[in-house]
Amino acid sequence: MTAAVPVDPTTTTAWASLTELKKGLNPDLRGWFADDPQRAQRMSFTAGDLFVDLSKNLVTDDILAALVRLGDQVDLPARRDAMFAGERINVTENRSVLHTALRLPKSAELEVDGQNVVEDVHATLEKVYDFARTVRSGEWKGVTGKRIETIVNIGIGGSDLGPVMVYEALQPYVQEGLSARFVSNIDPTDIAEKTRGLDPETTLFIVASKTFTTLETLTNARLAKAWLLDSLKSAGAIDGSDSQAADAVAKHFVAVSTALDKVAEFGIDTANAFGFWDWVGGRYSVDSAIGTSLAVVLGPENFADFLGGFHAIDEHFRSEPLASNVPALMGLLNVWNVNFLDARTHAVLPYSQYLHRFPAYLQQLTMESNGKGVRWDGTQVTCSTGEVFWGEPGTNGQHAFYQLIHQGTQLVPCDFIAFANPAHPLKDGAADVHELFLANFFAQTAALAFGKTADQVRAEGTDEAIVPARVFTGNRPTTSIMSASLTPSVVGQLIALYEHITFVQGIVWGIDSFDQWGVELGKQLAKAVTPAVGGDEHALEQVDASTQGLIRFYRQHRTA
């Protein structure tokens, strides 16, 4: 068993060393590279199919060594092993943390509470795969006998962000004739727009809610059911009888849930409900049955490759020494940036349009996990925790916010992600467009690292009055991540990489990265406020004056 009380990182000798190293630090990436021709080679690593260059971070060999010692001194290896073994490291919910079990091979064994969870995982996977095959082949038919053409996934948080991100990332692998849409927001605009133009006879809804009680998901599911039945009736596909309505719901809705009684009450055949376990957190669940929509549109073989990518990084993280362990090093570097360099945000910049939802996915993964102010034993944290993750695909971001990253007063560590082979190798005349694209990727990290001196600006003939405006200080930290191609396996590897980076930071800070109590208060208050919004004067009197004023404005101006 691992220690019940987290190690206070600020009391370790490694933290003291890092504090001293920071005092003496004069970042000089230009000089460091000039003086050390082996720096890039020494600070570049491979994990799975990922090549990761850490050399443009603001660290020396001594700093990296101290960070590795910090990992050891906060018991990172033991906490990592405890997670993989199924110990209940999610202490506030008394749960194991076993998203890594979702991608173990069928031959593996992992016993938790007397049960081999790998058997359970693969039994559910086979059920999902069998369902996917029936939809892909056309064997599954809607109420009028037509094959399914559109999957609509209804979920929120981890039941939405993961599937939609992966769907967008793997568009070239989607089966022709199939597509997916994703509904999450309780704003009625979302369900209205996502059902616009759909043929109800060829649409299949997947309702993803473990407890089948999530307010947003169940509201949208009921709206989807009403849309389906109203549309089918309007088209004359079904009459108004309860029996035909029930048949239509059973053929056009499936569930990802373990609450079979509620699933049946909704009208979904419980044989078409796919479950997962309380040791799978929502933001870690895309490789569980939550990914059913992906298994359908991508196919079981591609989904299996996706899982294999996760497992490759899991094995690297589980077995590689900290000094060459990519997720560990990246997590420790994030600690260095936050706690010693005072970085407050972290940009993720994929040079791949297919990964345009990856930064949004990471926002939940990282900030819901590590946005905590107490440690896992209930005591206050002893240092800053978490950072704001954000980003957009290159080169769009270059024409938007890169100005601040290059010349602003805030330090913004950046992760750049790119692929050697494009999905669409196009040419503009004789120019290879992907090479033009990646030239920006390579140039931006160099520009951020090495900058441009006043003398270099003057040498270009720049008027002296504007020389300061055209100087780039450099020494802006970046990590570069590359792979050959954006495949299902590589997408899995990228997700697992950041899962483990997040875990590493949480262990250093002593927090429980796997609960999310911070999302609860607003939801509870929303339930209390709802009657006031609907016109209940007594309920309105119970809320604060500011909220009263906002609700009164709403009620005065609501016209429909």
Side-chain angles (χ1 to χ4, degrees), residues 43-300:
M43 294 187 183
S44 294
F45 304 87
T46 298
D49 297 313
L50 307 178
F51 176 77
V52 181
D53 181 355
L54 305 178
S55 65
K56 296 191 185 83
N57 281 277
L58 301 185
V59 290
T60 62
D61 289 336
D62 287 343
I63 291 169
L64 276 179
L67 287 170
V68 169
R69 290 199 303 276
L70 177 64
D72 282 322
Q73 290 173 12
V74 296
D75 292 335
L76 173 58
R79 300 296 297 183
R80 173 196 62 195
D81 295 346
M83 177 181 70
F84 278 97
E87 290 187 29
R88 296 176 183 271
I89 65 169
N90 179 353
V91 295
T92 70
E93 297 178 298
N94 192 29
R95 292 175 177 174
S96 300
V97 175
L98 279 176
H99 47 282
T100 54
L102 296 170
R103 49 264 196 161
L104 283 172
K106 193 172 185 178
S107 58
E109 290 187 15
L110 177 59
E111 189 172 297
V112 177
D113 298 330
Q115 176 66 28
N116 181 8
V117 298
V118 180
E119 290 181 356
D120 296 338
V121 166
H122 281 270
T124 298
L125 266 180
E126 283 307 315
K127 185 177 179 182
V128 169
Y129 289 167
D130 287 345
F131 167 70
R133 292 183 187 103
T134 64
V135 176
R136 292 169 64 82
S137 69
E139 180 183 344
W140 182 291
K141 292 180 171 54
V143 70
T144 61
K146 293 183 179 179
R147 68 183 295 154
I148 299 301
E149 296 177 356
T150 306
I151 305 294
V152 179
N153 187 87
I154 302 175
I156 197 165
S159 299
D160 170 77
L161 284 165
V164 71
M165 182 274 289
V166 176
Y167 176 72
E168 293 293 329
L170 295 177
Q171 279 293 303
Y173 295 86
V174 173
Q175 176 173 295
E176 187 175 353
L178 271 177
S179 64
R181 299 185 183 188
F182 299 85
V183 178
S184 59
N185 202 329
I186 200 172
D187 181 342
T189 300
D190 200 13
I191 187 72
E193 289 296 332
K194 297 299 172 53
T195 55
R196 185 188 300 275
L198 291 184
D199 179 353
E201 298 178 50
T202 61
T203 299
L204 179 68
F205 293 93
I206 299 175
V207 184
S209 172
K210 184 187 294 187
T211 62
F212 226 71
T213 59
T214 309
L215 173 66
E216 296 89 344
T217 299
L218 270 294
T219 300
N220 280 326
R222 289 189 292 269
L223 292 172
K225 183 199 283 190
W227 171 84
L228 176 78
L229 297 178
D230 290 346
S231 300
L232 290 172
K233 288 175 189 175
S234 297
I238 62 171
D239 59 27
S241 68
D242 290 344
S243 63
Q244 289 202 3
D247 187 40
V249 172
K251 290 179 178 176
H252 291 269
F253 278 84
V254 301
V256 178
S257 179
T258 53
L260 297 184
D261 55 339
K262 294 181 176 65
V263 168
E265 183 180 340
F266 186 89
I268 296 173
D269 186 343
T270 55
N272 299 319
F274 311 99
F276 55 113
W277 305 270
D278 65 4
W279 39 257
V280 181
R283 57 192 175 277
Y284 296 90
S285 66
V286 67
D287 47 342
S288 72
I290 288 296
T292 296
S293 58
L294 301 173
V296 173
V297 297
L298 300 174

